[in-house]
């Protein structure tokens, strides 16, 4: 094996030292043929990644099929025994329901107010309809404030938030991989040998009967337990701990500190977009040179028409711990300008501290009715009580905002925001 | 804003180009979560710039140019990437990527078959590294070897797969 082979392999294995990185760079610069060789190795490596992903998904489906076939064969045999003797059948029925009932790893899509797709083993993506059951593939949920509900035959229920991707990795047990996003689960008592297991890029949660939420963000995994307890393991060093009700734990990509469970934190009652993307927050839009937030286009699924549209939005998302806690006197204040005076939409998605979804809210700001200053800036202050519930869930004081943005909808009118905040008004006239 | 016809056209072109762009970004930034963000940002920029696209030009190289800028923006934050890929190298890789993908496209289907021929331990290593996305140290722990031994094993597996792919392609060429 040549030194060059070692360096290329080191790159592909993510194990290059700084010195080796410099050495590889010099080698790449020394001859265009070297660069071609390196590019070829990278393309082949990504082809291998794609092939393995496809093969592993297929294996999961095959394992599931094998289990189902065996289950059917066992059922037929038991029917024959039933014909022979009632007593024997009783024993079998007791055994079947009490001990040997096969665990069904299939997930059924129950409902959503957004768009849910399934990427199957052949990498074909199709839209899911309520009632569809599947045992492999990757689920993708789209849309702000969207919740998609899924259930297992044992009564376990999963809610996936918009922006979540979840892969079913096992045919028999409930083994899932949360690629990104947030999952909330209510899990009845599980067989000890086949608990619900969810893995992310750097952690694994095992639930034997509990209510919890798991968030896979860019570089970290966070588990928040509402009821019962969940076993949590950091994959990098296999450190394991039990996280109890009202506790949370978080592990990062390169953490070396001991894993510790902590009390679930409170979320502040004030928020300002100028605090930018703190923690898990993701900016919607982009900052310009004047430190103003400018709207960027996002593809939006419109449930009413069943179509996608490009909308222009600016704001922030933060599924954990959330942006701000709302109370009766909360107000949203926004200072903005537009190239044309179109109406502005404000959108808020909320959840309770227990992570239960607590509704989406919106309000239209009538731009032409607001005076603009010489530079075109307008200011609107909106009491939280004036926002309109979008899902017939009334406002609940104490809920936490996970998404907040302003939108000019499909109008590309250069929405620019100088100030955007949520605070508690001192009085009703504030 | 794009009219409906151009939006449909963009969707068609992006759907076709996305696997190659995603593989390129993943190969450079080495993190699947970050890669997804970069690819998504690239898609947004492409959508905004699509009115400027000259339909006489190939879409993939044009899209790769924007992906490169997104990678460059990310690279500023990652020390190792900065050490390895200066702007000239990144430019050269970006330019050569569409050709390399096209040249190696025949290998993809043969690779699926060759994966099936790997012995169980080799398949496990491949699965842990490429599907579970574990670091080599974790892969080594799972298969009960040292990190160095796991790295050498993976190198051999890649070589074995390449030999297998070449044999199959030669056999297919002979049959044709």
């Amino acid at each position: 094996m040549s030194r060059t082979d070692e360096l290329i392999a080191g790159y592909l294995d993510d194990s290059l030292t700084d010195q080796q990185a410099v050495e590889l760079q010099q080698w790449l610069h020394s001859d265009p043929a070297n660069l071609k060789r390196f590019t070829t190795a990278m393309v082949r490596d990504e082809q291998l990644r794609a092939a393995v992903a496809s093969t592993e998904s297929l294996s999961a489906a095959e394992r599931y099929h094998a289990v189902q076939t065996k289950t059917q064969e066992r059922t037929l045999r038991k029917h024959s025994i039933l014909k022979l003797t009632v007593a024997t059948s009783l024993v079998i029925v007791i055994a079947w329901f009490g001990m040997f009932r096969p665990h069904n790893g299939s997930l059924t899509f129950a409902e959503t107010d957004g768009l849910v797709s399934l990427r199957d083993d052949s990498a074909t993506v199709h839209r899911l309809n309520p009632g569809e059951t599947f045992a492999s593939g990757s689920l993708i949920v789209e849309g702000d404030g969207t919740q998609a509900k899924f259930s297992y035959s044992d009564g376990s229920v999963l809610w996936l938030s918009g922006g979540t991707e979840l892969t079913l990795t096992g045919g028999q047990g409930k083994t899932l991989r949360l690629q990104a996003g947030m999952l909330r689960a209510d899990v009845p008592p599980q067989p000890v040998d086949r608990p619900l297991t969810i893995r992310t890029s750097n952690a694994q949660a095992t639930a034997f009967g509990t209510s919890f939420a798991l968030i896979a963000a860019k570089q970290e995994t966070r588990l928040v337990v509402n009821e019962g307890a969940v076993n949590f393991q950091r994959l990098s060093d296999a450190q394991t701990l039990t996280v109890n009700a009202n506790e949370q734990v978080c592990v990062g990509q390169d953490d070396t500190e001991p894993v510790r469970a902590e009390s679930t934190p409170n979320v502040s009652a004030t928020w300002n977009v100028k605090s930018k993307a703190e923690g898990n927050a993701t900016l919607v839009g982009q900052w310009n040179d004047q430190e103003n937030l400018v709207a960027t286009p996002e593809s939006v699924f419109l449930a009413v028409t069943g179509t996608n549209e490009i909308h222009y939005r600016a704001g922030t998302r933060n599924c954990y711990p959330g942006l701000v806690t709302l109370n009766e006197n909360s107000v949203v204040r926004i200072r903005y300008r537009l190239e044309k005076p179109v109406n502005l939409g404000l959108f808020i998605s909320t959840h309770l501290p227990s992570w239960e979804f607590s509704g989406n809210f919106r309000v239209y700001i009538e731009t032409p009715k607001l005076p603009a200053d010489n530079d075109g800036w307008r200011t609107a202050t909106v009491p939280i009580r004036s926002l309109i519930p979008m899902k017939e869930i009334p406002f609940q004081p104490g809920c936490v905002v996970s998404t907040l943005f302003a939108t000019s909808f499909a109008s590309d009118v250069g929405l620019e925001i100088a100030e955007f905040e949520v605070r508690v008004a001192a009085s009703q006239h504030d | 804003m794009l009219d409906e016809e151009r939006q449909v056209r963009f969707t068609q072109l992006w759907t076709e180009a996305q696997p190659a762009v995603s593989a390129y970004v993943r190969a450079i930034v080495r993190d699947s979560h970050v890669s997804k963000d970069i690819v998504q940002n690239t898609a947004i920029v492409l959508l905004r710039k699509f009115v400027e696209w000259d339909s006489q030009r190939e879409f993939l190289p044009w899209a790769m140019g924007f992906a490169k800028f997104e990678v460059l923006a990310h690279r500023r934050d990652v020390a190792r990437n900065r050490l390895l890929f200066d702007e000239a190298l990144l430019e050269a890789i970006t330019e050569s990527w569409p050709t390399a993908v096209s040249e190696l496209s025949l290998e993809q289907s043969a690779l699926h078959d060759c994966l099936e021929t790997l012995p169980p331990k080799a398949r496990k290593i491949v699965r842990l590294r490429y599907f579970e996305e574990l670091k080599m140290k974790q892969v080594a722990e799972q298969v009960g070897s040292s990190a160095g031994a796991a790295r050498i094993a993976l190198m051999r597996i890649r070589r074995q797969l390449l030999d297998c792919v070449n044999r199959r392609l030669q056999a297919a060429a002979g049959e044709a």
Side-chain angles (χ1 to χ4, degrees):
Chain A
M1 184 174 64
S2 70
R3 176 67 178 158
T4 309
D5 289 336
E6 264 181 51
L7 291 174
I8 293 175
Y11 177 78
L12 300 179
D13 296 340
D14 301 317
S15 58
L16 280 185
T17 63
D18 287 356
Q19 195 180 347
Q20 288 170 331
V22 172
E23 196 181 336
L24 180 57
Q25 188 196 54
Q26 287 167 349
W27 178 78
L28 289 170
H29 273 299
S30 66
D31 187 344
N34 294 347
L35 188 81
K36 184 170 185 197
R37 187 174 153 197
F38 182 66
T39 306
T40 300
M42 286 202 295
V43 171
R44 285 201 172 112
D45 202 53
E46 292 308 316
Q47 283 185 336
L48 178 55
R49 189 181 309 283
V52 173
S54 161
T55 307
E56 285 300 320
S57 300
L58 196 61
S59 301
E62 283 168 351
R63 283 197 297 274
Y64 171 72
H65 177 72
V67 169
Q68 292 296 87
T69 307
K70 280 181 188 168
T71 303
Q72 284 164 5
E73 286 168 0
R74 274 207 301 263
T75 308
L76 282 174
R77 279 203 298 274
K78 280 172 183 152
H79 281 170
S80 303
I81 294 167
L82 275 167
K83 286 176 185 171
L84 291 174
T85 161
V86 172
T88 310
S89 70
L90 188 62
V91 171
I92 289 167
V93 167
I94 290 168
W96 180 254
F97 283 100
M99 293 170 64
F100 305 122
R101 183 173 52 169
H103 182 73
N104 189 346
S106 298
L107 201 54
T108 301
F109 172 39
E111 60 184 26
T112 188
D113 49 1
L115 179 64
V116 178
S117 309
L118 180 72
R119 189 171 56 233
D120 66 19
D121 302 330
S122 61
T124 306
V125 178
H126 67 273
R127 189 174 165 186
L128 273 184
N129 293 309
E132 283 191 60
T133 296
F134 44 92
S136 64
S138 286
L139 287 164
I140 302 149
V141 181
E142 294 176 59
D144 277 304
T146 295
Q147 295 274 308
K149 183 181 175 184
F150 302 85
S151 62
Y152 282 107
S153 57
D154 71 348
S156 297
V157 179
L158 308 178
W159 286 268
L160 306 189
S161 298
T164 296
E165 182 173 346
L166 180 75
T167 303
L168 280 74
T169 60
Q172 189 175 11
K174 294 196 293 264
T175 308
L176 306 167
R177 185 176 175 91
L178 184 60
Q179 311 282 5
M182 191 188 107
L183 170 154
R184 191 163 64 83
D186 280 349
V187 185
Q190 299 288 290
V192 176
D193 59 334
R194 283 170 300 195
L196 170 67
T197 303
I198 307 172
R199 184 174 268 221
T200 68
S201 62
N202 50 18
Q204 179 169 294
T206 307
F208 294 95
T210 179
S211 170
F212 68 95
L214 193 67
I215 305 120
K218 284 179 190 171
Q219 299 287 338
E220 66 177 35
T221 297
R222 187 178 297 271
L223 168 73
V224 183
V225 179
N226 299 319
E227 289 174 19
V230 176
N231 280 0
F232 185 81
Q233 184 181 59
R234 180 164 68 190
L235 295 177
S236 61
D237 56 6
Q239 268 199 66
T240 305
L241 82 164
T242 301
V243 185
N244 296 306
N246 303 317
E247 286 184 343
Q248 56 140 341
V249 64
C250 180
V251 295
Q253 198 74 23
D254 301 311
D255 282 359
T256 52
E257 297 292 309
V259 184
R260 279 202 316 260
E262 297 168 344
S263 300
T264 311
N266 293 322
V267 179
S268 164
T270 60
W271 166 86
N272 188 322
V273 75
K274 289 282 183 184
S275 60
K276 300 190 181 173
E278 287 177 347
N280 286 322
T282 307
L283 197 67
V284 182
Q286 58 191 32
W287 299 103
N288 66 10
D289 294 340
Q290 289 77 47
E291 288 282 294
N292 295 325
L293 187 60
V294 180
T296 48
E298 286 191 339
S299 179
V300 180
F301 175 71
L302 304 176
V304 178
T305 58
T307 56
N308 278 69
E309 209 173 71
I310 300 298
H311 281 190
Y312 294 82
R313 297 168 159 183
T316 308
R317 297 186 180 94
N318 183 345
C319 65
Y320 186 85
L323 294 171
V324 58
T325 299
L326 298 178
N327 66 35
E328 294 277 4
N329 296 323
S330 296
V331 293
V332 183
R333 182 175 165 278
I334 182 168
R335 184 163 170 262
Y336 68 100
R337 68 179 170 188
L338 301 162
E339 289 160 7
K340 289 180 192 167
V342 300
N343 287 348
L344 196 69
L346 272 187
F347 174 89
I348 291 180
S349 182
T350 68
H351 60 79
L352 298 178
S354 65
W355 287 75
E356 189 180 339
F357 177 66
S358 56
N360 294 337
F361 303 87
R362 72 177 173 202
V363 70
Y364 296 105
I365 297 173
E366 294 182 77
T367 298
K369 291 185 179 174
L370 293 173
D373 68 14
N374 291 338
D375 294 321
W377 293 103
R378 293 175 161 87
T379 301
T381 303
V382 182
I384 212 73
R385 276 290 185 191
S386 65
L387 268 70
I388 304 157
M390 293 169 67
K391 298 183 179 179
E392 297 178 355
I393 303 175
F395 171 68
Q396 298 174 64
C399 67
V400 177
V401 175
S402 53
T403 300
L404 171 55
F405 62 75
T407 175
S408 57
F409 302 97
S411 304
D412 186 7
V413 289
L415 169 61
E416 196 178 350
I417 298 175
E419 293 166 36
F420 199 4
E421 64 174 359
V422 176
R423 60 189 164 85
V424 181
S427 72
Q428 284 188 337
H429 303 291
D430 192 355
Chain B
M1 227 189 111
L2 298 179
D3 58 36
E4 192 176 337
E5 192 181 330
R6 284 186 77 87
Q7 279 205 29
V8 169
R9 182 73 181 126
F10 175 80
T11 306
Q12 287 170 337
L13 290 164
W14 177 239
T15 304
E16 203 174 308
Q18 189 182 6
V21 174
S22 298
Y24 159 78
V25 174
R26 175 70 183 73
I28 302 286
V29 304
R30 318 297 305 162
D31 181 301
S32 54
H33 285 95
V34 175
S35 301
K36 279 181 185 172
D37 286 349
I38 290 177
V39 172
Q40 194 173 11
N41 288 345
T42 304
I44 289 170
V45 174
L46 287 173
L47 182 64
R48 295 187 86 172
K49 297 281 184 183
F50 191 56
V51 287
E52 297 167 18
W53 176 61
D54 175 1
S55 59
Q56 301 301 311
R57 290 180 62 190
E58 279 192 59
F59 182 78
L60 179 58
W62 183 75
M64 298 276 303
F66 290 100
K68 184 194 75 178
F69 281 115
E70 294 297 322
V71 169
L72 273 170
H74 164 74
R75 191 188 63 123
R76 289 183 205 112
D77 305 328
V78 182
R80 178 66 43 74
N81 243 309
R82 208 164 47 230
L83 273 176
L84 181 55
F85 296 120
D86 55 35
E87 203 154 341
L89 271 183
L90 198 57
E91 177 75 38
I93 290 171
T94 310
E95 272 183 22
S96 61
W97 194 269
T99 310
V101 168
S102 169
E103 284 174 356
L104 300 175
S105 61
L106 281 178
E107 293 184 5
Q108 188 78 53
S109 62
L111 184 58
H112 277 91
D113 296 337
C114 290
L115 272 172
E116 302 291 333
T117 67
L118 288 178
K121 187 174 179 184
R123 281 195 75 155
K124 186 175 182 184
I125 291 174
V126 165
R127 179 172 58 78
L128 292 171
R129 176 64 187 155
Y130 288 96
F131 188 67
E132 303 286 335
E133 298 193 340
L134 299 186
K135 291 181 178 174
M136 288 310 295
K137 190 181 161 199
Q138 297 166 264
V139 172
E141 282 166 8
Q142 299 260 349
V143 297
S145 69
S146 67
R151 277 200 292 273
I152 290 169
L154 190 53
M155 269 182 73
R156 286 185 181 143
I157 292 166
R158 289 195 194 106
R159 167 53 57 189
Q160 196 178 332
L161 287 171
L162 183 57
D163 290 345
C164 170
V165 165
N166 286 337
R167 276 197 306 275
R168 281 174 187 261
L169 290 180
Q170 279 168 10
E175 284 170 16

